[in-house]
Amino acid sequence: MMASSYTAKEEDGHITVSGPGALRSRKPENTAFKQQRLPAWQPILTAGTVLPAFFIIGLLFIPIGIGLFVTSNNIKEFEIDYTGVDASSPCFNCSQSFSWNSSRPCTCSIPFYLEQPYESNVYVYYGLSNFYQNHRRYVKSRDDSQLNGDPKSLMEPSKECEPYAFHENKPIAPCGAIANSMFNDTLELFYNDPNGTKVQILLNTTGIAWWTDKHVKFGNPGGNRTTKPINWRRPVFDLDADEGNNGFINEDFIVWMRTAALPTFRKLYRIINKKSGMVPTLPRGNYSLEVVYNYPVRSFEGRKRMILSTISWMGGKNPFLGIAYITVGSVCFFLGVVLLLIHHKCGNRNNNADISN
């Protein structure tokens, strides 16, 4: 009879058998990590730790919220809806047209009055409502390689761009539904001087896009063997006379390609730079908004508007952040008072019961 080649060894009360075909022990190594003996700390919630936390949060959040809310309210903002839904609107006749690229664009003029002057830089936005740029299929309908200036993608657009990839057997540049639906209204501002002179306000077309978008994500490819998107009036390389703001690096185009998260949004259109000296950028008085009405919104019951706004250190006008801080701080402070009263009332009763026992 042959001797067994198996050997048994005892370690920490466990017997390990070794040899041909023997199963290895499944016991974890005897380390602090694998045996779950690492030091741990578990907070014990008591009145002495919870109540100060509530009061500190309340005393911090309420002043911060008030500061944010006051700062937001100090931002000047003026908005004009020029959709032309009402028959009395100057843009009503233009709104009846559904043509994206009509050879005769419709124009309308909307007078308005600024109650207070704007001293600092003024940012001109266009706003759209009921436009779902966050739709999954819409967001994917683009070719980032083409937008970055890849010559191969220029001639062979991505399948994600369908059905806006080719037109009349020519590749579309830029392709996709986002580019095809680019906002193309033209907005101009005029100041009606008290002397009767109509002065056009200079609107800067550059400086409205993110630096990383213009210099990293977007780039102009060589060659021009493509066709324009179906709803565009001009090819992409004729968007601007300035070569530094033309083609795929046109800032109006770049701003539009950064899709919005909500169906009601605004996008930066132009900047009115602050004037030197004590002269306000936009003085108080009568103005007129001249619109070249190209962008149809009646088909999806949308709205169009123009917004004049200043900014602060926290950005544009947004009272929600201040209200949120004030609300959270007030709720925490109120809960702290309620818990303090409960602790004062019930804590003494528990202490007396412990003493009597």
Side-chain angles (χ1 to χ4, degrees), residues 31 57 73 118 200 218 234 249 258 268:
T31 61
I57 293 175
N73 284 344
Y118 285 55
Q200 184 173 3
F218 291 78
R234 294 171 293 179
I249 60 173
R258 182 170 285 276
L268 186 58

Side-chain angles (χ1 to χ4, degrees), residues 82-93:
Y82 68 94
T83 310
V85 176
D86 299 330
S88 59
S89 172
C91 295
F92 175 77
N93 292 333

Side-chain angles (χ1 to χ4, degrees), residues 8 40 54 78 96 102 123 164 186 207 221-222 244 301 331 356:
F54 275 111
F78 184 84
Q96 306 306 305
S102 174
Y123 295 82
Y164 303 105
T186 301
E301 298 181 354
V331 169
S356 62

Side-chain angles (χ1 to χ4, degrees), residues 6 9 19-20 56 96 103-104 106 158 163 170 196 209 234 243 248 286 298 344 346:
Y6 292 94
K9 182 173 154 183
I56 290 174
Q96 306 306 305
S103 58
R104 288 187 177 181
C106 187
S158 170
K170 286 186 178 181
R234 294 171 293 179
E243 289 299 325
F248 291 169
N286 292 304
R298 291 184 67 232
H344 179 73
C346 300

Side-chain angles (χ1 to χ4, degrees), residues 27-338:
K27 178 185 176 182
E29 296 179 6
N30 189 22
T31 61
F33 177 76
K34 293 188 176 182
Q35 294 295 334
Q36 300 184 11
R37 295 196 301 266
L38 292 174
W41 175 76
Q42 182 178 0
I44 300 176
L45 301 179
T46 63
T49 59
V50 174
L51 291 178
F54 275 111
F55 284 114
I56 290 174
I57 293 175
L59 294 176
L60 286 178
F61 275 42
I62 292 176
I64 293 175
I66 293 174
L68 293 174
F69 185 75
V70 171
T71 302
S72 176
N73 284 344
N74 288 335
I75 296 175
K76 299 176 182 178
E77 190 170 288
F78 184 84
E79 183 174 311
I80 296 177
D81 189 313
Y82 68 94
T83 310
V85 176
D86 299 330
S88 59
S89 172
C91 295
F92 175 77
N93 292 333
C94 294
S95 67
Q96 306 306 305
S97 174
F98 290 90
S99 177
W100 285 74
N101 49 10
S102 174
S103 58
R104 288 187 177 181
C106 187
T107 60
C108 55
S109 178
I110 303 174
F112 64 94
Y113 183 80
L114 286 183
E115 297 285 349
Q116 51 186 339
Y118 285 55
E119 288 82 10
S120 58
N121 289 348
V122 180
Y123 295 82
V124 184
Y125 298 86
Y126 63 84
L128 294 175
S129 299
N130 206 33
F131 192 109
Y132 288 82
Q133 272 199 318
N134 57 356
H135 191 280
R136 181 185 62 85
R137 186 67 185 90
Y138 182 87
V139 172
K140 293 174 60 178
S141 185
R142 60 189 293 164
D143 189 340
D144 288 321
S145 297
Q146 185 191 70
L147 297 174
N148 192 245
D150 182 13
K152 182 179 179 181
S153 297
L154 185 70
M155 303 308 299
E156 299 177 7
S158 170
K159 292 182 179 179
E160 298 290 351
C161 289
E162 295 290 350
Y164 303 105
F166 292 90
H167 181 60
E168 296 179 352
N169 296 325
K170 286 186 178 181
I172 296 176
C175 68
I178 306 176
N180 188 65
S181 60
M182 178 181 169
F183 181 83
N184 61 348
D185 280 357
T186 301
L187 308 177
E188 294 181 340
L189 286 177
F190 291 87
Y191 172 61
N192 300 321
D193 192 90
N195 299 326
T197 307
K198 194 173 184 179
V199 181
Q200 184 173 3
I201 306 297
L202 179 62
L203 305 178
N204 294 322
T205 59
T206 57
I208 62 176
W210 292 15
W211 187 93
T212 51
D213 282 352
K214 183 165 185 176
H215 297 89
V216 179
K217 292 184 64 176
F218 291 78
N220 281 332
N224 192 7
R225 294 168 291 173
T226 59
T227 186
K228 65 180 182 64
I230 298 173
N231 289 335
W232 283 28
R233 298 176 182 274
R234 294 171 293 179
V236 66
F237 295 102
D238 291 335
L239 292 178
D240 199 306
D242 181 10
E243 289 299 325
N245 190 40
N246 196 22
F248 291 169
I249 60 173
N250 177 265
E251 297 199 22
D252 284 329
F253 172 67
I254 294 174
V255 169
W256 177 258
M257 293 301 293
R258 182 170 285 276
T259 54
L262 299 175
T264 298
F265 59 88
R266 63 175 63 177
K267 291 179 182 288
L268 186 58
Y269 180 70
R270 296 291 183 265
I271 300 176
I272 307 174
N273 289 332
K274 179 181 179 181
K275 296 181 179 179
S276 59
M278 301 299 294
V279 180
T281 307
L282 292 179
R284 175 182 177 181
N286 292 304
Y287 291 81
S288 60
L289 171 65
E290 305 287 339
V291 180
V292 180
Y293 202 106
N294 297 319
Y295 203 75
V297 295
R298 291 184 67 232
S299 59
F300 55 89
E301 298 181 354
R303 310 281 294 196
K304 298 192 294 186
R305 61 194 188 280
M306 185 276 300
I307 305 104
L308 299 175
S309 177
T310 58
I311 64 171
S312 67
W313 58 269
M314 60 172 288
K317 193 177 186 69
N318 183 17
F320 172 78
L321 189 60
I323 294 173
Y325 268 89
I326 294 174
T327 302
V328 173
S330 301
V331 169
C332 289
F333 195 85
F334 175 75
L335 289 177
V337 173
V338 171

